[in-house]
């Protein structure tokens, strides 16, 4: 298929590592955003958001190092020896991935500073979240034209997605608490705006990358993008089900609402994993039609 790079073991490793890096980055960004927006939530819910963010940030740092080796192996064609070759690693460091790693690494270290309680830790985490989001504008398909627009769209897209994804585990924990219904109701109201932002930004970005419907249907990039959009549509349907059916049921005190909500949030987590894999595939082995 047009625009599809050769797929070997190292390409698959690159996709998995990139998906893991995306997940770690989104959780690291989402933690401080959740704590900022839901400062009135219970202490243990906010503590869980901090804990997940810090663990994700540390994981992201490890994945960054792993991706350097995988990238060196792929561009050298030497396999494992290339992954540890100093010269090849130097080439990767001098590439856009090196610049992105500096910004992302700094951002993830600042998120780790959320271990410091209070405004200092939260401020560091929020700055870190912004640095992580911006780091993705140094690599990938956002390097095309118009550069400033693609970079801005990607940053907004990542921050909106991070808020949603970073909230999933804290919200699942909050379901069984006395103020769980109030917290989920407020999240649903805010998510309505973030979902709209995700959709609009995603569609603009997709149009800039594909250029036409025919390109969308005739390239590997287009079909992978369609698969991603299909999973995103299912994720939004689950979110709507939570907002309009299960959250009001939880507020009414119905005991069945708790397991239903937890189950749908678990399904949302699985959907997010599929989206991350599709996104990693888009940026690892496919070429946008506008660049063909």
């Amino acid at each position: 298929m047009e625009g599809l790079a050769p797929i070997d073991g190292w390409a698959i490793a690159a996709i998995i590592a990139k998906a893991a890096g995306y997940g770690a980055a989104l959780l690291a960004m989402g933690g401080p955003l959740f704590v900022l927006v839901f400062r009135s939530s219970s202490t243990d819910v906010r503590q869980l958001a901090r804990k997940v963010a810090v663990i994700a940030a540390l994981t992201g740092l490890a994945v960054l190092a792993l991706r350097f080796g995988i990238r060196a192996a792929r561009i050298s064609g030497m396999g494992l020896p290339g992954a540890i070759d100093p010269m090849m690693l130097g080439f990767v460091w001098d590439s856009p991935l090196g610049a992105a790693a500096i910004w992302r690494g700094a951002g993830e270290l600042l998120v780790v500073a959320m271990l410091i309680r209070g405004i200092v830790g939260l401020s560091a985490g929020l700055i870190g979240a912004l640095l992580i989001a911006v780091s993705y504008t140094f690599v990938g398909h956002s390097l095309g034209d118009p550069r400033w627009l693609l970079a801005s769209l990607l940053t907004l897209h990542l921050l909106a997605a991070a808020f949603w994804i970073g909230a999933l585990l804290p919200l699942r924990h909050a379901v069984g608490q006395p103020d769980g219904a109030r917290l989920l109701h407020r999240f649903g109201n805010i998510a309505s705006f973030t979902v709209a932002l995700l959709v609009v930004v995603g569609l603009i970005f997709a149009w800039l990358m594909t250029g036409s419907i025919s390109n969308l249907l005739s390239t590997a990039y287009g079909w992978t993008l369609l698969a991603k959009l299909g999973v995103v549509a299912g994720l939004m349907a689950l979110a709507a089900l939570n907002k309009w059916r299960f959250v009001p049921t939880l507020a009414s005190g119905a005991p069945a609402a708790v397991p239903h909500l937890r189950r749908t949030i678990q399904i949302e987590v699985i959907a997010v994993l599929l989206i991350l894999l599709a996104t990693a595939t888009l940026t690892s082995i496919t070429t946008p039609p506008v660049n063909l």
Side-chain angles (χ1 to χ4, degrees):
M1 184 177 289
E2 188 177 11
L4 182 66
I7 302 175
D8 56 16
W10 286 106
I12 294 173
I15 292 172
I16 294 173
K18 188 174 283 190
Y22 286 155
L26 289 168
L27 287 171
M29 288 187 286
L33 293 174
F34 180 89
V35 174
L36 175 68
V37 174
F38 296 103
R39 283 172 291 180
S40 62
S41 61
S42 64
T43 301
D44 59 327
V45 169
R46 285 181 280 116
Q47 181 62 23
L48 176 59
R50 287 193 186 92
K51 181 179 179 180
V52 170
V54 170
I55 293 174
L58 292 173
T59 302
L61 290 170
V63 172
L64 267 180
L66 178 63
R67 287 192 58 204
F68 266 82
I70 294 173
R71 182 62 177 164
R74 292 187 74 192
I75 64 174
S76 68
M78 298 164 54
L80 186 58
I84 57 177
D85 183 85
M87 181 179 294
M88 298 311 303
L89 290 171
F91 287 150
V92 177
W93 180 257
D94 291 333
S95 72
L97 182 59
I102 293 173
W103 283 68
R104 197 169 309 152
E108 287 169 339
L109 286 173
L110 284 170
V111 171
V112 173
M114 287 188 71
L115 290 171
I116 303 172
R117 296 293 184 89
I119 190 65
V120 174
L122 178 57
S123 298
L126 291 170
I127 295 171
L130 181 60
L131 292 182
I132 294 171
V134 172
S135 74
Y136 282 95
T137 67
F138 290 91
V139 292
H141 301 154
S142 64
L143 294 176
D145 292 322
R147 177 79 174 84
W148 68 269
L149 179 58
L150 290 175
S152 300
L153 290 173
L154 182 59
T155 300
L156 286 173
H157 188 76
L158 287 172
L159 290 173
F163 173 73
W164 190 343
I165 293 170
L168 290 178
L169 292 179
L171 289 177
R172 185 183 183 279
H173 181 72
V175 166
Q177 296 189 341
D179 65 340
R182 180 187 61 81
L183 184 63
L184 268 75
H185 176 72
R186 187 179 175 206
F187 172 79
N189 291 336
I190 298 173
S192 299
F193 169 75
T194 57
V195 165
L197 181 63
L198 279 169
V199 170
V200 171
V201 170
L203 289 175
I204 295 174
F205 198 89
W207 177 256
L208 291 172
M209 289 292 97
T210 57
S212 68
I213 298 297
S214 61
N215 285 337
L216 188 66
L217 299 175
S218 62
T219 62
Y221 182 94
W223 280 107
T224 307
L225 179 60
L226 288 173
K228 175 184 174 180
L229 293 176
V231 180
V232 170
L235 182 60
M236 291 180 179
L238 281 174
L241 182 65
N242 285 343
K243 177 177 174 59
W244 299 113
R245 180 177 177 183
F246 292 138
V247 172
T249 304
L250 180 67
S252 70
V258 173
H260 280 309
L261 273 167
R262 286 179 172 163
R263 192 176 304 114
T264 57
I265 291 174
Q266 289 171 347
I267 296 173
E268 287 184 47
V269 170
I270 294 172
V272 167
L273 293 176
L274 293 175
I275 292 169
L276 295 179
L277 283 171
T279 304
T281 302
L282 276 174
T283 56
S284 297
I285 60 172
T286 70
T287 302
V290 294
N291 295 335
L292 291 173

